[in-house]
Amino acid sequence: MNWYLEVWRKFADFNGRARRKEYWFFVLFNAIITIVLEIIDFIVFVSHFGNFWILSTIYGLAVFIPGLAVTVRRLHDTNRSGWWLLLPILTSVFYIITVSVFIAQTGMRGEPSTGAALVMGIGAILLFASFITIFVFTLLDGTPGPNRYGPDPKTLPEPHGFGGSSAAPRQMHTPHPSTPPNRAPAAPQGGEQSLMLRGVTPLATPITLFPNQETVVGRSSKANVVIDNSFISGQHLSLRLSPNGELTVKDLGSTNGTYIDGQKLEAHVPTPLRAGQKLIIGSEDIVYER
Protein backbone atom coordinates (compact mmCIF):
# COMPACT_ATOMS: atom_id res chain seq x y z
CA MET A 1 0.00 0.00 0.00
CA ASN A 2 2.91 2.37 0.70
CA TRP A 3 4.00 2.15 -2.94
CA TYR A 4 0.49 3.18 -4.02
CA LEU A 5 0.59 6.15 -1.62
CA GLU A 6 4.06 7.04 -2.90
CA VAL A 7 2.63 7.56 -6.40
CA TRP A 8 -0.01 9.91 -5.00
CA ARG A 9 2.66 11.76 -3.03
CA LYS A 10 4.55 12.38 -6.28
CA PHE A 11 1.19 13.14 -8.03
CA ALA A 12 2.44 15.12 -11.09
CA ASP A 13 6.17 14.36 -10.83
CA PHE A 14 7.35 13.27 -14.29
CA ASN A 15 11.03 13.40 -13.32
CA GLY A 16 13.19 10.63 -11.94
CA ARG A 17 12.65 6.88 -12.06
CA ALA A 18 10.10 4.35 -10.75
CA ARG A 19 11.12 0.76 -10.15
CA ARG A 20 8.84 -2.13 -11.11
CA LYS A 21 7.66 -2.55 -7.52
CA GLU A 22 6.36 1.04 -7.38
CA TYR A 23 4.60 0.84 -10.74
CA TRP A 24 2.97 -2.56 -10.41
CA PHE A 25 1.87 -2.13 -6.79
CA PHE A 26 0.19 1.07 -7.94
CA VAL A 27 -1.48 -0.81 -10.81
CA LEU A 28 -2.65 -3.55 -8.42
CA PHE A 29 -4.18 -1.26 -5.78
CA ASN A 30 -5.59 1.02 -8.46
CA ALA A 31 -7.42 -1.96 -10.01
CA ILE A 32 -8.75 -3.11 -6.62
CA ILE A 33 -10.01 0.38 -5.72
CA THR A 34 -11.63 0.79 -9.15
CA ILE A 35 -13.47 -2.53 -8.85
CA VAL A 36 -14.71 -1.68 -5.34
CA LEU A 37 -15.96 1.74 -6.46
CA GLU A 38 -17.71 0.23 -9.48
CA ILE A 39 -19.48 -2.27 -7.22
CA ILE A 40 -20.60 0.58 -4.94
CA ASP A 41 -21.71 2.58 -7.98
CA PHE A 42 -23.74 -0.35 -9.28
CA ILE A 43 -25.43 -0.99 -5.94
CA VAL A 44 -26.08 2.62 -4.94
CA PHE A 45 -26.42 4.59 -8.18
CA VAL A 46 -26.85 2.43 -11.28
CA SER A 47 -29.61 0.26 -9.84
CA HIS A 48 -31.59 3.36 -8.83
CA PHE A 49 -30.66 6.09 -11.30
CA GLY A 50 -29.57 4.22 -14.43
CA ASN A 51 -26.13 4.48 -16.02
CA PHE A 52 -24.62 6.68 -13.30
CA TRP A 53 -21.07 5.58 -12.39
CA ILE A 54 -20.20 8.62 -10.29
CA LEU A 55 -17.59 7.32 -7.80
CA SER A 56 -15.54 5.30 -10.28
CA THR A 57 -15.64 8.17 -12.78
CA ILE A 58 -14.41 10.72 -10.24
CA TYR A 59 -11.66 8.35 -9.11
CA GLY A 60 -10.64 7.65 -12.70
CA LEU A 61 -10.25 11.36 -13.43
CA ALA A 62 -8.31 11.92 -10.19
CA VAL A 63 -5.90 9.04 -10.77
CA PHE A 64 -5.15 9.90 -14.41
CA ILE A 65 -2.26 12.33 -13.77
CA PRO A 66 -0.43 10.29 -11.08
CA GLY A 67 -0.94 7.16 -13.20
CA LEU A 68 0.55 8.89 -16.24
CA ALA A 69 3.45 10.27 -14.16
CA VAL A 70 4.41 6.90 -12.67
CA THR A 71 4.29 5.31 -16.14
CA VAL A 72 6.68 7.96 -17.44
CA ARG A 73 9.00 7.35 -14.47
CA ARG A 74 8.81 3.59 -15.12
CA LEU A 75 9.97 4.18 -18.70
CA HIS A 76 12.74 6.41 -17.33
CA ASP A 77 13.89 3.52 -15.14
CA THR A 78 14.54 1.50 -18.31
CA ASN A 79 16.38 4.53 -19.76
CA ARG A 80 13.54 5.28 -22.19
CA SER A 81 11.85 8.60 -22.74
CA GLY A 82 8.30 9.19 -21.57
CA TRP A 83 7.52 10.24 -25.15
CA TRP A 84 7.11 6.54 -25.89
CA LEU A 85 3.59 6.96 -24.47
CA LEU A 86 2.70 8.90 -27.62
CA LEU A 87 2.89 5.60 -29.51
CA PRO A 88 -0.46 4.17 -28.26
CA ILE A 89 -2.04 7.63 -28.45
CA LEU A 90 -1.09 8.09 -32.12
CA THR A 91 -2.09 4.55 -33.06
CA SER A 92 -5.43 5.06 -31.25
CA VAL A 93 -6.10 8.21 -33.28
CA PHE A 94 -5.18 6.38 -36.49
CA TYR A 95 -7.48 3.48 -35.59
CA ILE A 96 -10.39 5.81 -34.79
CA ILE A 97 -9.96 7.51 -38.16
CA THR A 98 -9.93 4.18 -40.03
CA VAL A 99 -13.03 2.98 -38.17
CA SER A 100 -14.80 6.25 -38.98
CA VAL A 101 -13.98 5.85 -42.68
CA PHE A 102 -15.12 2.23 -42.55
CA ILE A 103 -18.47 3.18 -40.97
CA ALA A 104 -18.98 6.11 -43.36
CA GLN A 105 -18.45 3.91 -46.42
CA THR A 106 -20.77 1.28 -44.98
CA GLY A 107 -23.49 3.89 -44.55
CA MET A 108 -23.09 5.37 -48.03
CA ARG A 109 -22.50 2.24 -50.12
CA GLY A 110 -23.99 -0.50 -48.03
CA GLU A 111 -20.58 -2.13 -47.73
CA PRO A 112 -17.06 -0.72 -47.28
CA SER A 113 -14.29 -0.95 -49.84
CA THR A 114 -11.63 -3.63 -49.51
CA GLY A 115 -9.02 -0.92 -49.04
CA ALA A 116 -10.89 0.63 -46.11
CA ALA A 117 -11.27 -2.75 -44.43
CA LEU A 118 -7.56 -3.50 -44.94
CA VAL A 119 -6.46 -0.14 -43.51
CA MET A 120 -8.75 -0.61 -40.49
CA GLY A 121 -7.21 -4.04 -39.92
CA ILE A 122 -3.72 -2.57 -40.07
CA GLY A 123 -4.79 0.15 -37.62
CA ALA A 124 -6.07 -2.49 -35.19
CA ILE A 125 -2.79 -4.42 -35.39
CA LEU A 126 -0.72 -1.26 -34.82
CA LEU A 127 -2.91 -0.28 -31.86
CA PHE A 128 -2.53 -3.70 -30.25
CA ALA A 129 1.23 -3.73 -30.89
CA SER A 130 1.71 -0.27 -29.36
CA PHE A 131 0.01 -1.24 -26.10
CA ILE A 132 1.96 -4.51 -25.95
CA THR A 133 5.19 -2.53 -26.45
CA ILE A 134 4.50 -0.22 -23.50
CA PHE A 135 3.39 -3.20 -21.41
CA VAL A 136 6.67 -5.01 -22.10
CA PHE A 137 8.67 -1.87 -21.25
CA THR A 138 6.97 -1.67 -17.84
CA LEU A 139 7.96 -5.29 -17.16
CA LEU A 140 11.65 -4.76 -17.86
CA ASP A 141 14.14 -4.30 -15.05
CA GLY A 142 15.58 -0.82 -14.65
CA THR A 143 19.07 0.02 -15.77
CA PRO A 144 21.55 -0.74 -12.95
CA GLY A 145 23.09 2.32 -11.37
CA PRO A 146 22.38 5.94 -12.36
CA ASN A 147 21.11 6.72 -15.84
CA ARG A 148 20.24 10.01 -17.57
CA TYR A 149 17.01 10.27 -15.54
CA GLY A 150 18.50 9.88 -12.07
CA PRO A 151 19.94 7.43 -9.53
CA ASP A 152 18.92 3.79 -9.36
CA PRO A 153 15.68 3.71 -7.28
CA LYS A 154 16.68 0.32 -5.88
CA THR A 155 19.43 2.08 -3.92
CA LEU A 156 16.93 4.45 -2.25
CA PRO A 157 14.91 3.80 0.94
CA GLU A 158 11.49 2.26 0.41
CA PRO A 159 8.51 4.59 1.07
CA HIS A 160 6.53 4.66 4.30
CA GLY A 161 3.33 6.19 2.97
CA PHE A 162 2.31 9.77 3.55
CA GLY A 163 4.55 11.54 6.03
CA GLY A 164 7.36 8.97 5.61
CA SER A 165 9.92 9.29 8.36
CA SER A 166 9.33 12.98 8.94
CA ALA A 167 8.56 12.33 12.60
CA ALA A 168 12.12 11.22 13.18
CA PRO A 169 14.49 13.93 14.36
CA ARG A 170 16.59 15.45 11.61
CA GLN A 171 20.22 14.58 11.90
CA MET A 172 23.29 14.56 9.79
CA HIS A 173 26.24 12.22 9.95
CA THR A 174 28.92 10.79 7.69
CA PRO A 175 28.83 6.98 7.59
CA HIS A 176 31.74 4.82 8.56
CA PRO A 177 34.28 4.83 5.71
CA SER A 178 33.62 1.16 4.96
CA THR A 179 29.85 1.61 4.62
CA PRO A 180 29.31 3.28 1.24
CA PRO A 181 31.32 1.94 -1.69
CA ASN A 182 31.56 5.42 -3.21
CA ARG A 183 33.01 6.95 -0.05
CA ALA A 184 35.73 9.43 -1.06
CA PRO A 185 39.15 8.55 0.36
CA ALA A 186 40.79 10.86 2.80
CA ALA A 187 42.79 13.64 1.22
CA PRO A 188 45.85 15.31 2.59
CA GLN A 189 45.41 18.44 4.65
CA GLY A 190 45.30 21.66 2.70
CA GLY A 191 42.82 22.55 -0.01
CA GLU A 192 39.82 21.31 1.95
CA GLN A 193 36.73 23.46 2.31
CA SER A 194 33.70 23.22 4.59
CA LEU A 195 29.98 23.89 4.33
CA MET A 196 27.87 24.47 7.45
CA LEU A 197 24.47 22.85 7.95
CA ARG A 198 21.77 25.01 9.53
CA GLY A 199 18.25 23.84 10.24
CA VAL A 200 15.29 24.21 12.57
CA THR A 201 17.13 22.09 15.10
CA PRO A 202 20.49 23.30 16.46
CA LEU A 203 22.67 21.43 13.99
CA ALA A 204 26.11 22.70 13.06
CA THR A 205 27.91 19.79 11.47
CA PRO A 206 30.40 20.78 8.76
CA ILE A 207 30.80 18.97 5.47
CA THR A 208 34.46 18.79 4.51
CA LEU A 209 35.16 18.76 0.79
CA PHE A 210 38.38 17.93 -1.02
CA PRO A 211 39.36 19.04 -4.53
CA ASN A 212 38.27 16.79 -7.43
CA GLN A 213 36.23 14.49 -5.18
CA GLU A 214 32.45 14.19 -5.49
CA THR A 215 30.46 14.09 -2.26
CA VAL A 216 26.93 12.68 -2.51
CA VAL A 217 24.35 14.00 -0.03
CA GLY A 218 21.08 12.17 0.60
CA ARG A 219 18.92 10.04 2.85
CA SER A 220 20.31 6.68 1.74
CA SER A 221 23.12 4.96 3.59
CA LYS A 222 24.90 4.81 0.23
CA ALA A 223 25.41 8.59 0.29
CA ASN A 224 28.66 10.05 1.60
CA VAL A 225 26.72 12.47 3.80
CA VAL A 226 23.46 11.12 5.22
CA ILE A 227 20.57 13.36 6.31
CA ASP A 228 17.52 11.74 7.89
CA ASN A 229 14.79 13.93 6.42
CA SER A 230 11.76 12.63 4.51
CA PHE A 231 11.92 15.57 2.07
CA ILE A 232 15.38 14.52 0.91
CA SER A 233 15.88 11.79 -1.71
CA GLY A 234 18.13 8.81 -1.16
CA GLN A 235 20.83 10.35 -3.35
CA HIS A 236 19.71 13.95 -3.56
CA LEU A 237 22.68 15.96 -4.80
CA SER A 238 26.42 15.93 -5.22
CA LEU A 239 29.02 18.55 -4.26
CA ARG A 240 32.31 18.93 -6.07
CA LEU A 241 35.20 21.27 -5.28
CA SER A 242 37.58 22.20 -8.10
CA PRO A 243 41.32 22.75 -7.48
CA ASN A 244 40.81 26.52 -7.87
CA GLY A 245 38.20 26.54 -5.09
CA GLU A 246 35.01 26.69 -7.21
CA LEU A 247 32.20 24.68 -5.66
CA THR A 248 29.55 23.12 -7.94
CA VAL A 249 26.26 21.50 -7.00
CA LYS A 250 24.48 18.86 -9.08
CA ASP A 251 20.93 17.72 -8.36
CA LEU A 252 20.72 13.94 -8.89
CA GLY A 253 17.10 13.87 -10.06
CA SER A 254 15.68 14.38 -6.55
CA THR A 255 11.95 14.32 -5.90
CA ASN A 256 11.67 17.68 -4.16
CA GLY A 257 14.45 19.47 -5.97
CA THR A 258 17.55 21.45 -5.09
CA TYR A 259 17.51 25.25 -4.89
CA ILE A 260 20.13 28.00 -4.85
CA ASP A 261 18.71 31.30 -3.56
CA GLY A 262 15.20 30.09 -4.39
CA GLN A 263 16.02 29.02 -7.96
CA LYS A 264 15.45 25.34 -8.72
CA LEU A 265 18.40 23.58 -10.31
CA GLU A 266 18.05 21.51 -13.45
CA ALA A 267 18.68 17.85 -12.70
CA HIS A 268 22.17 16.48 -13.48
CA VAL A 269 23.52 19.91 -14.48
CA PRO A 270 26.47 21.18 -12.36
CA THR A 271 25.77 24.68 -11.02
CA PRO A 272 28.27 26.94 -9.19
CA LEU A 273 27.58 27.78 -5.55
CA ARG A 274 29.13 31.11 -4.63
CA ALA A 275 29.92 32.67 -1.27
CA GLY A 276 26.82 34.01 0.45
CA GLN A 277 24.36 31.91 -1.55
CA LYS A 278 22.03 29.48 0.20
CA LEU A 279 21.68 25.89 -0.94
CA ILE A 280 18.29 24.47 0.00
CA ILE A 281 17.56 20.77 -0.37
CA GLY A 282 14.29 19.00 0.15
CA SER A 283 12.67 21.53 2.44
CA GLU A 284 13.16 25.17 3.39
CA ASP A 285 14.64 24.37 6.78
CA ILE A 286 17.67 22.48 5.47
CA VAL A 287 20.09 25.17 4.36
CA TYR A 288 23.78 25.11 3.54
CA GLU A 289 25.97 28.17 3.65
CA ARG A 290 29.59 28.54 2.68
Side-chain angles (χ1 to χ4, degrees):
M1 188 65 177
N2 288 336
W3 287 107
Y4 173 80
L5 297 177
E6 179 73 0
V7 173
W8 278 100
R9 188 181 70 81
K10 296 179 180 177
F11 195 79
D13 186 0
F14 292 86
N15 299 314
R17 300 165 59 177
R19 57 188 296 187
R20 284 181 295 188
K21 185 181 291 187
E22 178 180 351
Y23 178 80
W24 285 108
F25 267 114
F26 173 78
V27 170
L28 173 63
F29 282 100
N30 183 53
I32 293 173
I33 292 172
T34 299
I35 292 172
V36 171
L37 292 178
E38 286 181 346
I39 293 174
I40 296 174
D41 275 337
F42 182 80
I43 296 174
V44 177
F45 299 105
V46 177
S47 59
H48 294 87
F49 304 104
N51 194 19
F52 200 58
W53 303 85
I54 183 169
L55 296 180
S56 55
T57 300
I58 292 175
Y59 176 75
L61 292 174
V63 82
F64 175 76
I65 291 179
L68 179 63
V70 73
T71 305
V72 170
R73 296 196 303 272
R74 179 79 269 271
L75 292 175
H76 287 176
D77 192 38
T78 64
N79 208 26
R80 291 177 173 85
S81 170
W83 292 109
W84 272 98
L85 291 180
L86 285 179
L87 182 62
I89 295 175
L90 294 176
T91 54
S92 296
V93 171
F94 177 74
Y95 181 68
I96 291 172
I97 292 175
T98 59
V99 170
S100 300
V101 172
F102 183 89
I103 293 174
Q105 288 192 354
T106 303
M108 290 186 297
R109 303 178 183 178
E111 61 180 27
S113 65
T114 303
L118 179 61
V119 173
M120 188 181 71
I122 294 174
I125 293 174
L126 292 176
L127 179 62
F128 178 76
S130 66
F131 278 98
I132 290 297
T133 299
I134 299 301
F135 174 73
V136 171
F137 286 166
T138 61
L139 292 176
L140 297 177
D141 194 7
T143 54
N147 64 18
R148 54 179 169 158
Y149 298 105
D152 189 345
K154 290 182 179 179
T155 65
L156 307 181
E158 294 199 357
H160 299 282
F162 286 112
S165 58
S166 57
R170 293 182 176 88
Q171 57 182 331
M172 176 178 174
H173 65 279
T174 52
H176 189 274
S178 62
T179 301
N182 59 341
R183 175 74 175 165
Q189 295 297 318
E192 65 268 18
Q193 186 170 347
S194 297
L195 292 180
M196 193 65 67
L197 171 68
R198 188 184 70 194
V200 293
T201 54
L203 298 175
T205 305
I207 303 176
T208 302
L209 303 175
F210 301 104
N212 294 324
Q213 293 181 0
E214 187 174 55
T215 300
V216 176
V217 180
R219 193 163 46 129
S220 169
S221 61
K222 295 181 179 295
N224 302 117
V225 177
V226 177
I227 304 177
D228 184 13
N229 184 304
S230 62
F231 293 100
I232 296 175
S233 298
Q235 296 183 44
H236 196 104
L237 61 86
S238 68
L239 303 168
R240 190 176 185 87
L241 184 65
S242 68
N244 61 7
E246 180 183 11
L247 179 63
T248 56
V249 180
K250 182 170 63 175
D251 184 270
L252 299 178
S254 64
T255 299
N256 294 309
T258 303
Y259 298 81
I260 293 180
D261 285 349
Q263 297 295 317
K264 187 175 183 179
L265 304 187
E266 184 178 350
H268 306 290
V269 177
T271 304
L273 180 66
R274 299 180 176 87
Q277 291 183 314
K278 293 183 179 180
L279 174 64
I280 304 175
I281 65 172
S283 59
E284 295 266 342
D285 54 15
I286 300 295
V287 181
Y288 288 93
E289 293 183 330
R290 288 183 65 176

